[in-house]
Amino acid sequence: MKVLVIGGGAREHALCRSLSLDPDVTALHCAPGNAGIAEVAELHAVDALDGAAVAELAASLRADLVVVGPEAPLVAGVADAVRERGIPAFGPSAQAAQLEGSKAFAKDVMAAAGVPTARAYVCTTPAEIDEALDAFGAPYVVKDDGLAAGKGVVVTSDLAVAREHALACERVVIEEFLDGPEVSLFAITDGETVLPLSPAQDFKRALDGDEGPNTGGMGAYSPLPWADPKLVDEVMETVLRPTVDELRRRGTPFSGLLYAGLAITSRGVRVIEFNARFGDPETQVVLARLKTPLASVLLNASTGNLAAEPPLRWSDGAAVTVVIASHNYPGTPRTGDVIEGLPEASGADASEKAQKAYVLHAGTALDADGRVVSAGGRVLSVTATGADLATARGRAYELVSRIRLDGSHHRTDIAAKAASD
């Protein structure tokens, strides 16, 4: 199977790494990719938002499967353009991707499907914003209706901050605050069959102790030793299947990766948000534990054959990923700094040690001298596996300690509480 992955972050590096280890994959391509992905896939320059260009590249490579990683190309209809060329694409249509592209659309789908979620108001005027903020009170949850690369949500007890963010959005969703721990659950679907993956938890705040501003995610771990063993079954029945069924009923079937961000509240499971693609950094830990070869699962989802896929197999151990971010992230990050101390590659021919702790590149590039440099806010996802969370966590942070990036920062408490419980 020839596979083309679209995107250039740590999520795509995790996907490419898993696909490179799949014996069914005979050729692996990525566009545009990054410095780390270049170690396992052939890179191609393409505008990831240009559906015609992506489809043309896939056709020229004679790809058997195109995997669209980021949300923006999905909302822009890139998967549709690939399918129109007769090539299977893993990723929802532009219409179905509105489940992530529009918070208001997602709320409408959940209401129709009876999916439990936070009460919310959709606001477009200052008067509506003030009314909604007053109705819910602090803590205020304010979400830009459109895509914002993980930075469109503000959760604050400061009314002025909440109002400023809301006024800066063309259309905004203001919600009640949901208490309780958060869980990410991915499911692969072909529009009818729904196949859940292993739950994970990510860390959104920039600083230790869940302090600082919201980010795209500073780390994650899987599995969740504290979670109810029935959690996945419950979410399947109350959230994932009803949502997939409702989208199919509307004539916009969802095929690809459905991501449910959940709060385990005192009143039960509630949906915080849906994403229409693999989440970052949860993908890094979920795929690290997946033993089932990935390519056939994604292809079966893309061709309506997921019912034929046997149950997924998982390692008994745990996985932890720690994000190394550039100076000033999540503000305007500094780029172009040289990254030193990167370990050997972690592909199929890597040593056993490298397979247990490795680096997935997020925002990296090669400079004129061939050195790996920072090229974004989240620069690296240092990922490790182990027999338990404590072991995986120790391996991840040991590798983090050997990497040098001037001005960088990372959280030191990823999975700490879960590993010690």
Side-chain angles (χ1 to χ4, degrees):
M1 193 189 307
K2 295 178 182 176
V3 183
L4 169 63
V5 176
I6 302 302
R11 163 187 47 230
E12 288 75 35
H13 194 176
L15 286 163
C16 285
R17 180 180 184 275
S18 290
L19 290 165
S20 74
L21 299 172
D22 187 332
D24 287 341
V25 176
T26 53
L28 182 59
H29 302 268
C30 187
N34 62 38
I37 295 173
E39 296 176 356
V40 294
E42 183 180 342
L43 302 191
H44 303 268
V46 76
D47 179 355
L49 297 175
D50 186 337
V54 171
E56 182 60 35
L57 174 61
S60 70
L61 296 173
R62 296 182 179 172
D64 300 299
L65 173 66
V66 175
V67 181
V68 184
E71 59 271 28
L74 291 168
V75 171
V78 168
D80 303 90
V82 171
R83 280 189 282 266
E84 286 167 9
R85 292 291 291 264
I87 301 168
F90 183 81
S93 66
Q95 281 185 301
Q98 284 302 305
L99 202 59
E100 177 171 3
S102 168
K103 304 287 191 301
F105 175 78
K107 288 291 186 185
D108 186 60
V109 169
M110 284 188 271
V115 170
T117 187
R119 293 181 298 121
Y121 293 104
V122 181
C123 307
T124 56
T125 68
E128 289 173 346
I129 287 168
D130 289 339
E131 186 179 345
L133 291 171
D134 184 59
F136 288 132
Y140 304 101
V141 181
V142 184
K143 299 181 176 181
D144 190 333
D145 181 54
L147 293 178
K151 300 177 197 170
V153 179
V154 165
V155 181
T156 178
S157 294
D158 188 324
L159 177 60
V161 171
R163 191 170 188 273
E164 181 184 18
H165 182 65
L167 290 170
C169 302
E170 196 170 312
R171 193 178 189 212
V172 67
V173 176
I174 297 175
E175 294 184 354
E176 67 173 328
F177 177 76
L178 297 175
D179 64 332
E182 296 184 11
V183 173
S184 300
L185 184 62
F186 300 166
I188 292 172
T189 178
D190 59 5
E192 292 198 19
T193 300
V194 182
L195 197 62
L197 304 187
S198 181
Q201 186 175 62
D202 79 329
F203 295 74
K204 289 281 189 235
R205 298 286 186 171
L207 307 175
D208 285 4
D210 291 327
E211 299 288 337
N214 261 355
T215 71
M218 294 298 292
Y221 69 95
S222 180
L224 311 180
W226 50 267
D228 188 326
K230 299 176 183 175
L231 175 64
V232 172
D233 291 340
E234 179 186 349
V235 176
M236 280 285 286
E237 294 307 313
T238 63
V239 175
L240 296 172
R241 282 201 186 100
T243 300
V244 169
D245 291 346
E246 172 61 20
L247 286 165
R248 188 174 66 249
R249 186 190 69 76
R250 292 178 177 222
T252 56
F254 188 103
S255 168
L257 195 291
L258 178 57
Y259 164 127
L262 310 163
I264 313 301
T265 77
S266 53
R267 293 172 293 148
V269 174
R270 297 287 186 273
V271 175
I272 301 170
E273 64 176 355
F274 282 125
N275 289 340
R277 40 72 195 182
F278 280 101
D280 184 342
E282 299 96 322
T283 301
Q284 289 87 301
V285 292
V286 172
L287 292 186
R289 297 185 54 242
L290 181 64
K291 294 176 72 173
T292 300
L294 185 61
S296 67
V297 182
L298 302 185
L299 182 63
N300 282 335
S302 305
T303 54
N305 296 312
L306 200 57
E309 187 67 35
L312 298 177
R313 295 179 295 112
W314 300 92
S315 71
D316 294 329
V320 172
T321 193
V322 179
V323 170
I324 297 177
S326 58
H327 176 74
N328 201 41
Y329 177 80
T332 303
R334 191 174 79 203
T335 59
D337 289 310
V338 175
I339 306 167
E340 298 177 318
L342 290 171
E344 60 187 276
S346 60
D349 58 347
S351 68
E352 184 179 352
K353 182 179 179 182
Q355 290 284 10
K356 291 177 179 176
Y358 49 88
V359 173
L360 298 169
H361 292 230
T364 67
L366 295 176
D367 69 7
D369 298 320
R371 299 175 300 179
V372 179
V373 298
S374 60
R378 291 186 295 174
V379 181
L380 304 169
S381 283
V382 179
T383 306
T385 57
D388 51 38
L389 276 176
T391 304
R393 189 172 182 277
R395 286 174 177 159
Y397 277 107
E398 196 278 327
L399 184 48
V400 167
S401 72
R402 290 191 272 130
I403 296 170
R404 294 174 300 285
L405 171 61
D406 187 45
S408 67
H409 63 98
H410 64 272
R411 284 185 57 160
T412 65
D413 62 347
I414 304 300
K417 186 175 184 301
S420 61
D421 286 350

